[in-house]
Amino acid sequence: MNNASEAIFIFDTEGNLLEVSRKTENLTGYTKDELTHLNIDQLFPKEEIDKVITTFKEGIQKRSWTLKNIPIQKKDGRNISVDITGNTLEYSGKKNMLAIVRDITDRKRFEQCCGVHAATRILAESTLLSETIPKILQAICDNLDWEFGEFWIMESNANVLRLVEIWHKPSVNVPEFDAMNRQIDISSGIGLLGRVFAYKKPIWIADVVCDTSFHRAQIAVQEDLHGALGFPIIIENEILGVFVFLRHKTQPTDDNQLMILDSVGGHIGQFIKRKQAETALDQAHNELDRQSKERTDTLAQVSEVLKNKIIEHNIIVDEVLQENQGQFTQLAEKVRLIPWEAD
């Protein structure tokens, strides 16, 4: 067993550890002697214990059990993601449970990196912010195991956050939570959003039920939402917006995911700033076009007025000339008939 490439645990039916492989010591940070004095409920974060115990007991009855993508707690308190496959086993003449535990940290990091690549690819291919945000929300939910996502944009004039977009998986139905979000604005310091706004850094909540500062906790519990994460979009210390993600299950803080999302936030901030600059430039061009058109229209109107005045003047002159033509003719005849006398 000590030569096994995976960590191996042997439990009795009460969950007490009887034997472990050498790989298990490397995985958990405990010595073999320390591990064989532990129970299964001491190996997992407290928010996962009920799930683990229930699955373990069912496994005893069914003779096998499986837990996928679950955190196991190391001796130093850090969590690592693992897959567990268990089967019943005769050990020392008694029925016991053998568990093979596979560290999936590298796989999780790869999946999370895929989320970053998906998000940055969306940014590279998008032109409109309104089309980009829903795709970003979906990419992060799909790749980082979240079920509900929101984007709140900063209203700089009022200094509040206002909801502009929501995305959730088709299996998620949270109408009351959705409706509440669309009716409120968030100020600095209020709830998860307000704290991200105030501190300008990501915040992770393992379970909103246990977090008194999560101001939407009551309705979140009604909708069976527990784990939550918020991270800001910042450029040059200016907060542009906040992303919030929620899931049904509780989830201990994942420092690697926070680091990845901080990077994503930087890319999104640059995208938003660029789009804002492009919008401002388009508006300036449109304003110049409008002013130029106004000047052109004004010149055309003045030209038309002058043209009409000239035409009116010419008509008047023609009329005057026609009215006085007879008088001019008679006067010319008289002048011609006056005899000329030499000196």
Side-chain angles (χ1 to χ4, degrees):
M1 189 168 72
N2 284 331
N3 295 325
S5 60
E6 305 291 353
I8 298 176
F9 298 71
I10 298 178
F11 301 92
D12 65 18
T13 54
E14 299 300 318
N16 298 308
L17 260 171
L18 304 176
E19 186 63 70
V20 297
S21 66
R22 185 175 293 113
K23 186 76 173 181
T24 305
E25 297 179 76
N26 298 332
L27 179 72
T28 63
Y30 290 101
T31 65
K32 178 178 179 179
D33 184 62
E34 289 173 326
L35 284 164
T36 53
H37 286 83
L38 296 179
N39 187 275
I40 191 171
D41 61 10
Q42 296 173 280
L43 294 170
F44 297 88
K46 61 181 181 180
E47 59 269 14
E48 300 289 350
I49 291 174
D50 288 344
K51 177 181 179 180
V52 171
I53 296 300
T54 299
T55 304
F56 180 79
K57 289 180 178 179
E58 290 175 352
I60 295 173
Q61 302 299 321
K62 297 178 180 178
R63 305 182 64 84
S64 67
W65 57 296
T66 302
L67 286 167
K68 295 291 187 182
N69 189 21
I70 190 165
I72 195 170
Q73 195 166 59
K74 294 169 67 72
K75 182 179 179 179
D76 60 12
R78 291 183 297 119
N79 295 326
I80 56 172
S81 296
V82 299
D83 285 344
I84 303 175
T85 302
N87 294 283
T88 56
L89 168 80
E90 290 292 328
Y91 181 76
S92 298
K94 296 181 180 180
K95 182 180 180 180
N96 295 289
M97 296 293 289
L98 178 143
I100 299 174
V101 180
R102 180 174 292 105
D103 183 353
I104 60 169
T105 301
D106 290 341
R107 190 185 81 195
K108 289 286 291 182
R109 287 176 179 167
F110 175 76
E111 290 172 353
Q112 291 172 349
C113 288
C114 288
V116 175
H117 292 318
T120 53
R121 186 173 63 251
I122 290 167
L123 295 174
E125 295 172 353
S126 299
T127 56
L128 298 176
L129 182 61
S130 59
E131 297 175 352
T132 303
I133 296 301
K135 295 177 182 178
I136 293 290
L137 289 170
Q138 181 177 357
I140 291 176
C141 284
D142 287 345
N143 289 281
L144 301 183
D145 196 26
W146 295 94
E147 293 163 316
F148 181 95
E150 310 167 331
F151 179 64
W152 299 69
I153 200 163
M154 169 61 69
E155 294 285 358
S156 55
N157 294 335
N159 202 35
V160 297
L161 292 166
R162 178 178 56 82
L163 180 68
V164 294
E165 194 63 58
I166 285 177
W167 186 90
H168 58 77
K169 293 185 176 180
S171 59
V172 175
N173 184 27
V174 286
E176 290 188 34
F177 194 77
D178 190 345
M180 177 186 177
N181 290 338
R182 296 186 184 279
Q183 296 171 8
I184 60 175
D185 291 333
I186 302 296
S187 300
S188 177
I190 298 177
L192 171 62
L193 276 158
R195 283 188 290 155
V196 174
F197 177 5
Y199 303 144
K200 297 182 179 179
K201 65 178 184 180
I203 293 177
W204 188 295
I205 301 176
D207 189 351
V208 298
V209 177
C210 305
D211 193 305
T212 56
S213 66
F214 191 81
H215 74 289
R216 299 177 288 170
Q218 183 176 357
I219 195 166
V221 171
Q222 292 175 9
E223 305 280 14
D224 194 30
L225 295 169
H226 291 276
L229 160 71
F231 69 93
I233 306 303
I234 299 175
I235 286 291
E236 298 174 354
N237 206 38
E238 175 189 357
I239 188 161
L240 305 179
V242 174
F243 280 93
V244 171
F245 294 92
L246 298 106
R247 55 162 62 103
H248 288 309
K249 66 180 182 180
T250 60
Q251 180 70 36
T253 302
D254 184 334
D255 292 329
N256 186 63
Q257 188 173 143
L258 286 176
M259 181 179 66
I260 287 173
L261 290 176
D262 187 49
S263 173
V264 172
H267 288 299
I268 296 172
Q270 293 171 2
F271 175 83
I272 292 175
K273 203 70 175 177
R274 186 172 70 249
K275 291 304 172 184
Q276 289 177 340
E278 290 174 359
T279 299
L281 186 61
D282 287 342
Q283 290 174 345
H285 284 162
N286 292 337
E287 178 62 18
L288 287 173
D289 288 343
R290 185 189 64 79
Q291 293 178 3
S292 176
K293 186 175 184 303
E294 284 184 355
R295 293 191 184 98
T296 301
D297 290 344
T298 300
L299 288 173
Q301 292 172 3
V302 170
S303 176
E304 186 66 22
V305 169
L306 288 174
K307 176 182 175 182
N308 292 335
K309 290 292 184 182
I310 292 171
I311 292 172
E312 290 176 4
H313 180 269
N314 290 339
I315 291 172
I316 292 172
V317 170
D318 288 342
E319 290 176 349
V320 170
L321 290 174
Q322 290 176 3
E323 289 176 359
N324 294 286
Q325 184 175 8
Q327 296 178 10
F328 290 151
T329 302
Q330 292 176 3
L331 180 60
E333 287 294 332
K334 288 180 180 179
V335 171
R336 186 172 61 83
L337 294 173
I338 292 174
W340 178 76
E341 295 180 0
D343 291 337

